[in-house]
């Protein structure tokens, strides 16, 4: 039986999330919490559903706000219950009330991919992740002659370069000054800006994950007019050098969508190793919603 999640279901849902964590091919977009109280609080922000089995909850799926629509958390299910995933997803999607619905899962998570497509979602693209030890990247870290480094950008310049480079995170283009300042005031966020005279040629944005000994290069932007001059390689190495100033960080991870050929070539040339692939799915919204 599919029903709304209750507080008493939290231990079963935690067990499902921990099972998912044990193998990368089971990955789906899911709550960050792995503590019962924190998970209960996190689930209060979303509409959550579970599937009952003979001995408790055997599957979980939730839906919450995301960009211009909604996003699925999960589904996560015990082995042997994948046939019930599509109905569980369909029940969660009903809460979107016609808005677009996004979902994310590991490329190798075939049961979830099949269930998403049965529920009417279509694949958008694949995002591949690459990683490398910092010393492999920092050996080339230097500021090109005639250039300088900065750690901040005026919000107008940040938006303009983001818009000119790619619109994948268009939500950031709607940030006001308070959101922008709060983001870059975080202890785990760093910005490396490369300038030539009074012009910004590109930037690299980092998020630090000391518990995992890793920094994520969340965005690397080079102005379209400045491409083909080695700025991508320079920013990648300079971002790694910034990460290396934090002793607990040992690796850098980057991402590239399947259409980003230049980024993929850059990471391959730098000797980074492919480590993870995530599929993005979308169910288009109803025009009248």
């Amino acid at each position: 039986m599919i029903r709304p999640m209750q507080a008493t279901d939290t231990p079963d849902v935690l067990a499902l999330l921990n099972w998912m964590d044990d193998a990368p091919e089971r990955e789906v977009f899911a709550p960050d919490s792995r503590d019962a109280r924190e998970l209960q609080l996190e689930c209060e922000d979303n509409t959550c559903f579970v599937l009952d089995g003979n001995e408790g909850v055997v599957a979980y799926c939730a839906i919450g706000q995301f960009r211009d629509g909604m996003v699925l958390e999960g589904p996560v299910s015990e082995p042997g219950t994948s046939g019930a995933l599509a109905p569980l997803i369909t029940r969660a999607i009903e809460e979107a009330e016609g808005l677009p619905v996004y979902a994310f899962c590991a490329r190798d998570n075939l049961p979830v991919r099949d269930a998403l497509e049965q529920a009417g979602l279509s694949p958008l693209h694949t995002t591949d992740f690459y990683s490398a030890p910092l010393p492999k990247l920092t050996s080339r870290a230097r500021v090109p002659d005639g250039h300088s480094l900065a750690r901040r950008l005026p919000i107008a310049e940040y938006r303009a370069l983001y818009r000119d480079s790619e619109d994948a995170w268009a939500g950031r283009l709607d940030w006001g000054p308070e959101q922008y300042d709060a983001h870059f005031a975080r202890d785990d966020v760093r910005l490396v800006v490369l300038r030539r005279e009074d012009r910004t040629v590109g930037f690299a944005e980092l998020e630090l994950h000391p518990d995992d000994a890793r920094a994520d290069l969340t965005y690397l932007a080079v102005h379209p007019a400045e491409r083909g001059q080695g700025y991508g390689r320079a920013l990648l190495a300079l971002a790694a050098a910034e990460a290396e100033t934090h002793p607990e960080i040992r690796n850098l991870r980057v991402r590239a969508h399947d259409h980003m050929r230049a980024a993929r070539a850059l990471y391959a040339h730098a000797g980074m190793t492919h480590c993870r692939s995530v599929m993005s799915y979308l169910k288009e919204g109803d025009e009248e919603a």
Side-chain angles (χ1 to χ4, degrees), residues 65-132:
Q65 294 183 343
F66 180 75
R67 293 186 181 171
D68 59 338
M70 310 289 278
V71 63
L72 293 178
E73 279 191 350
V76 184
S77 71
E78 289 184 355
T81 61
S82 59
L85 288 181
L88 184 61
I89 295 167
T90 300
R91 178 63 187 91
I93 288 174
E94 290 174 2
E95 300 297 317
E97 298 182 345
L99 291 173
V101 177
Y102 296 85
F104 306 92
C105 70
R107 183 184 59 192
D108 295 334
N109 195 340
L110 299 183
V112 167
R113 290 180 58 188
D114 288 344
L116 290 171
E117 293 177 21
Q118 289 177 40
L121 287 92
S122 300
L124 280 176
H125 56 249
T126 303
T127 302
D128 288 309
F129 292 79
Y130 306 82
S131 67

Side-chain angles (χ1 to χ4, degrees), residues 20-253:
M20 177 194 74
D21 294 339
D22 287 340
E25 67 271 12
R26 300 172 185 162
E27 179 186 11
V28 297
F29 184 75
D32 292 330
S33 302
R34 295 298 183 269
D35 170 86
R37 178 58 181 162
E38 290 178 359
L39 178 63
Q40 188 173 339
L41 291 172
E42 192 169 346
C43 287
E44 289 176 1
D45 295 330
N46 296 329
T47 303
C48 307
F49 296 95
V50 295
L51 175 67
D52 275 329
N54 294 331
E55 299 181 2
V57 169
V58 297
Y60 160 88
C61 187
I63 192 164
Q65 294 183 343
F66 180 75
R67 293 186 181 171
D68 59 338
M70 310 289 278
V71 63
L72 293 178
E73 279 191 350
V76 184
S77 71
E78 289 184 355
T81 61
S82 59
L85 288 181
L88 184 61
I89 295 167
T90 300
R91 178 63 187 91
I93 288 174
E94 290 174 2
E95 300 297 317
E97 298 182 345
L99 291 173
V101 177
Y102 296 85
F104 306 92
C105 70
R107 183 184 59 192
D108 295 334
N109 195 340
L110 299 183
V112 167
R113 290 180 58 188
D114 288 344
L116 290 171
E117 293 177 21
Q118 289 177 40
L121 287 92
S122 300
L124 280 176
H125 56 249
T126 303
T127 302
D128 288 309
F129 292 79
Y130 306 82
S131 67
L134 293 178
K136 192 168 190 175
L137 303 171
T138 55
S139 61
R140 302 178 182 177
R142 70 175 186 86
V143 179
D145 294 340
H147 295 68
S148 62
L149 281 184
R151 302 299 178 184
R152 292 297 297 268
L153 269 176
I155 187 171
E157 281 193 55
Y158 180 86
R159 282 175 174 162
L161 188 49
Y162 224 114
R163 185 181 295 110
D164 289 342
S165 299
E166 186 180 342
D167 63 354
W169 287 357
R172 294 193 175 203
L173 300 178
D174 298 327
W175 279 0
E178 290 185 0
Q179 287 173 288
Y180 178 79
D181 290 341
H183 178 72
F184 286 107
R186 285 169 42 183
D187 291 338
D188 61 339
V189 173
R190 297 290 185 276
L191 192 65
V192 178
V193 182
L194 189 59
R195 298 179 64 87
R196 186 182 64 243
E197 298 177 350
D198 60 348
R199 179 180 176 83
T200 297
V201 299
F203 69 79
E205 188 173 329
L206 287 168
E207 289 189 7
L208 309 177
H209 301 277
D211 291 344
D212 296 325
R214 184 190 84 234
D216 283 343
L217 184 64
T218 55
Y219 199 70
L220 192 154
V222 176
H223 193 284
E226 305 289 352
R227 292 175 182 170
Q229 302 180 63
Y231 287 127
R233 292 193 298 274
L235 281 164
L236 178 63
L238 291 167
E242 170 61 31
E244 200 171 44
T245 64
H246 304 272
E248 65 276 23
I249 304 295
R250 295 192 293 273
N251 297 287
L252 182 70
R253 189 175 70 174

Side-chain angles (χ1 to χ4, degrees), residues 1-14:
M1 178 181 71
I2 296 172
R3 59 171 175 79
M5 179 178 167
Q6 302 171 2
T8 53
D9 297 324
T10 302
D12 286 346
V13 173
L14 274 176

